[in-house]
């Protein structure tokens, strides 16, 4: 089922560098509405579960320890064509390959510390949003 919602995290590097405000501004200016939002920190176990799809990848251990290393901002975002449009807004996973004007080009340091996560499909947007938010936390 196609939806108009996606899920994002502002990652520990961006939080630490005080980029939360700048990133949210770019998200709002691109036309996304915030449905749900939470400032929190993942345990290693929770990060491992969230990124289980990457379990066999060589960077999985680094990814899990990095994503649990500090606070993050999790959010569900709404807009027509949300998943694809948000991936365009954030740019390539590797910030050196991201287009000018994208969030990762503007704020990311490296492929691991790449400032933001964005769901890659409607199905994963639903799963990832459900990981963080109850029905009562969505507006
Ligand atoms: P994200 O969109 O959160 O989804 C999976 C994450 O794995 C990705 O962003 C990157 O931060 C991370 N990742 C992907 N490739 C590598 C890599 N080669 N080395 C380290 N981390 C990676």
């Amino acid at each position: 089922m196609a939806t108009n919602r996606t899920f994002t995290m502002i990652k520990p590097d961006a939080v630490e560098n005080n980029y939360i405000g700048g990133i949210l501004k770019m998200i709002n200016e691109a036309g996304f509405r915030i449905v749900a939002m939470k400032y929190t920190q993942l345990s290693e176990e929770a990060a491992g579960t969230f990124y289980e799809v990457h379990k066999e990848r060589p960077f999985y251990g680094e990814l899990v320890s990095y994503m649990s290393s500090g606070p993050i901002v999790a959010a569900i975002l709404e807009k027509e064509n949300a998943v694809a449009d948000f991936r365009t807004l954030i740019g390539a996973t590797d910030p050196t390959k991201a287009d000018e004007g994208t969030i990762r080009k503007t704020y990311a340091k490296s492929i691991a510390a790449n400032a933001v996560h964005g769901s890659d499909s409607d199905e994963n947007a639903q799963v990832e949003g459900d990981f963080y938010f109850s029905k009562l936390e969505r507006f």
Side-chain angles (χ1 to χ4, degrees), residues 11 13-14 17 19 23 26 66 90-98 102-117:
K11 297 189 179 186
D13 56 294
N17 287 310
Y19 296 151
I23 290 171
M26 288 178 78
Y66 174 65
I90 66 180
T93 305
D94 179 350
T96 65
K97 297 185 179 135
T102 62
I103 292 175
R104 284 175 172 153
K105 183 71 175 182
T106 308
Y107 292 114
K109 290 196 294 204
S110 67
I111 194 164
N114 64 355
V116 281
H117 166 80

Side-chain angles (χ1 to χ4, degrees), residues 13 15-16 35 47 55-56 64-66 71 73 81 83 89 95 101-104 115 117 119 125 129-130 133 138:
D13 56 294
V15 171
E16 192 181 346
V35 173
K55 205 155 141 190
E56 305 306 326
V64 167
S65 77
Y66 174 65
V73 176
N81 202 31
V83 168
L89 177 66
T102 62
I103 292 175
R104 284 175 172 153
H117 166 80
S119 303
D130 290 347
F133 298 104
R138 300 168 196 226

